[in-house]
Amino acid sequence: MSEAGLDAVLPKGVTKIDCSIGTMLKKHKMRGPFCHVGSLINKDDVPAETVSRWREKFLSIDPAGFVGLDLFPGPNVDVVADLCDPGFVRKHPELIGKFNTVFCYALLEHVKNPFDAAKSIYSLLAPGGHLYYGGPWTWGYHAYPGDYFRISFDGLAVIFPEMLWEQRWYMSTKQGVGLELHPKREKKIFRLHNVDGVSSILTDIGLPYLNLGAIGRKPSSPPLRGIRKLRQAASRKLGAIIRSGR
């Protein structure tokens, strides 16, 4: 069946979307300054025009600025820093809360501590700022320099506990094409029943290569439980002052 024919018979609850970077930036009204974490273009002899074209995808939406951050120096990197460093916030005060959009793509599977990395990424966002996330779900091993994790939509909610998720989708090797569906339907919708080659020694079913995409937003004000804690601490402090003055 042709791709157009497949579009016409998509199962109920499955929606095809344009998940290209420009479309998502505009749809969610993402603005600069932009920070690309894991920004290194890891290729030999990268021309300046390549870096410029990549940044223009963002700066054409909002010319407020673009910063590339990576563990290693190289093309498309402005700041060398370790997102897994527990002291990241203390060591880089000039970056904290400065960005309205953070772009994180194919990064968190390669860090040794995605929890600390997520905290650092979250700290980069200004209140109300957006995170554009993309990462592998069912994908082959690819070391850069290691390949440690696969993070589900549930996993994203755990490592970014305060993030408000606005949209999530599946994507693969066809650029700009995404499918929205509930993760509970994933196995049924994507299951492959004709597995051949060496894989057939192990199984007669499979899943295609899949990436996950998601747009999250940092709350504009502290979460209510954070406010409650602040109020409780202030109340205790005031009580102590009153008691000491008796």
Side-chain angles (χ1 to χ4, degrees), residues 7 12 21 23 31 34 51 61 72 83 99 105 107 109 118 120 135 148 152 188 198 203 205 211:
D7 290 350
K12 185 177 180 180
I21 293 172
T23 296
R31 294 292 178 261
F34 301 94
V51 175
I61 302 296
F72 306 105
L83 291 168
F99 300 97
Y105 201 98
L107 169 67
E109 71 271 25
S120 297
Y148 308 108
S152 66
K188 182 177 180 180
V198 175
T203 182
I205 60 173
N211 284 325

Side-chain angles (χ1 to χ4, degrees), residues 112-239:
K112 293 182 179 180
N113 190 328
F115 288 90
D116 282 346
K119 288 179 182 178
S120 297
I121 290 169
Y122 192 79
S123 75
L124 295 170
L125 284 169
H130 284 90
L131 171 67
Y132 186 127
Y133 170 83
W137 179 226
T138 56
W139 206 266
Y141 177 81
H142 56 294
Y144 182 60
D147 187 6
Y148 308 108
F149 300 100
R150 296 293 179 266
I151 301 173
S152 66
F153 290 126
D154 288 345
L156 281 178
V158 170
I159 65 174
F160 292 101
E162 308 297 347
M163 195 75 75
L164 305 175
W165 296 102
E166 297 183 345
Q167 187 173 6
R168 59 188 188 182
W169 66 92
Y170 293 86
M171 53 190 168
S172 189
T173 57
K174 293 185 178 180
Q175 291 190 5
V177 179
L179 291 176
E180 292 181 309
L181 63 143
H182 196 285
K184 289 183 178 179
R185 302 186 64 199
E186 173 190 291
K187 289 188 291 185
K188 182 177 180 180
I189 295 298
F190 292 122
R191 179 168 292 176
L192 302 175
H193 294 279
N194 298 310
V195 177
D196 56 14
V198 175
S199 298
S200 63
I201 297 174
L202 301 176
T203 182
D204 57 355
I205 60 173
L207 287 173
Y209 269 23
L210 294 172
N211 284 325
L212 305 184
I215 304 295
R217 179 172 55 83
K218 186 174 185 176
S220 298
S221 57
L224 287 178
R225 64 174 177 269
I227 294 175
R228 291 194 191 102
K229 287 181 178 179
L230 289 174
R231 287 176 176 171
Q232 290 168 358
S235 179
R236 288 193 296 270
K237 186 175 182 179
L238 178 59

Side-chain angles (χ1 to χ4, degrees), residues 41-124:
I41 301 176
N42 191 30
K43 297 179 181 179
D44 295 329
D45 301 321
V46 178
E49 304 85 67
T50 298
V51 175
S52 179
R53 282 197 303 270
W54 169 249
R55 296 185 173 210
E56 187 60 23
K57 290 178 182 287
F58 299 86
L59 296 175
S60 63
I61 302 296
D62 185 352
F66 183 106
V67 172
L69 186 152
D70 202 282
L71 183 60
F72 306 105
N76 199 40
V77 178
D78 303 296
V79 177
V80 176
D82 183 1
L83 291 168
C84 294
D85 183 351
F88 178 86
V89 171
R90 175 178 52 81
K91 294 177 181 178
H92 301 281
E94 74 284 1
L95 302 175
I96 305 308
K98 301 299 184 183
F99 300 97
N100 287 318
T101 301
V102 172
F103 183 79
C104 175
Y105 201 98
L107 169 67
L108 293 182
E109 71 271 25
H110 298 297
V111 302
K112 293 182 179 180
N113 190 328
F115 288 90
D116 282 346
K119 288 179 182 178
S120 297
I121 290 169
Y122 192 79
S123 75
L124 295 170

